[in-house]
Amino acid sequence: TLVRGGQSGATSSGLTCVGTSNGAAAGSSGRLSFSSGTAKAGNGGLVAIGSGAGTAGRGGSVRVVVGSGTSAGGGLVATASGRASSRSGGSISTISGEGAAASSGSVNVVSANGGTSGGGGRLVFSSGSAAAGNAGGLTVGSGAATAARGGSVSVSVGSGTSGRGNVVGLDSARSSGRSGGAAVVASGAGSETSSGLLAVQSGGAGTAGSSGCLRFSSGSAESGNSGLVMIASGAASGGRAG
């Protein structure tokens, strides 16, 4: 079944609009459902929503927007992949467009600002738990560059005007039967020149305060030795050690 707007030889093509009517004073508006049929011995059908390409302009946009709520919360946008009973579940990919002669597109994941009496929305990036295997990994990284620098990865916390600035926490996992996970912060290696700098410092103080302290300590132990704190420089094969 094909539903399409009319073609134009000189201007824009016709609009195709699919919508439900508004709800009455005591009811809700109708639902729009786009789905493919099920399959017994093959793959389920594909649902494709896309825009056309533009030869002398930009390609068309695809927008999914949820209505606002005046007396309740705004609507939810949910994206979920398929569940599999005997194999891996489906994947979800969000990828920006490639730029053949310029930069690729951006991918922005942002929560909206809070109102006068609320906070900003929370962003949660998490992998699922596992019953008999390893839990999923969480990777945040930038791309490599052949003729310039690799992309940066920045983790920063917003400032506070009437309270303290917030915390950046880096915690490894706790283990009940074995050693806990490691937390590693390392600078990049240099194949032909120096390796990268690793700086750990506290911020400067204001006119009426002290700068923050730096503390390096190991955890306590109940029946064994407590951890070692070691500060050392690397060895050098053709020059002085650091």
Side-chain angles (χ1 to χ4, degrees), residues 111-122 161-162:
S111 65
N113 296 331
T116 56
S117 59
R122 186 173 61 168
T161 57
S162 60

Side-chain angles (χ1 to χ4, degrees), residues 29-201:
S29 60
R31 184 175 64 173
L32 283 178
S33 179
F34 301 92
S35 66
S36 64
T38 60
K40 293 183 178 180
N43 297 324
L46 172 69
V47 176
I49 299 176
S51 63
T55 56
R58 293 184 178 179
S61 298
V62 176
R63 301 182 65 186
V64 179
V65 182
V66 176
S68 59
T70 56
S71 60
L76 173 68
V77 175
T79 303
S81 60
R83 179 182 180 273
S85 58
S86 60
R87 296 193 178 185
S88 299
S91 300
I92 296 178
S93 298
T94 303
I95 304 173
S96 65
E98 180 183 358
S103 300
S104 60
S106 298
V107 176
N108 298 324
V109 181
V110 183
S111 65
N113 296 331
T116 56
S117 59
R122 186 173 61 168
L123 288 178
V124 178
F125 300 93
S126 174
S127 65
S129 59
N134 296 326
L138 182 62
T139 303
V140 179
S142 64
T146 57
R149 293 184 178 181
S152 299
V153 176
S154 299
V155 179
S156 60
V157 175
S159 59
T161 57
S162 60
R164 291 185 177 180
N166 222 320
V167 178
V168 174
L170 177 62
D171 296 325
S172 60
R174 178 182 180 273
S175 176
S176 58
R178 297 193 178 185
S179 299
V184 179
V185 180
S187 65
S191 58
E192 297 182 1
T193 59
S194 301
S195 61
L197 171 69
L198 181 61
V200 180
Q201 65 181 44

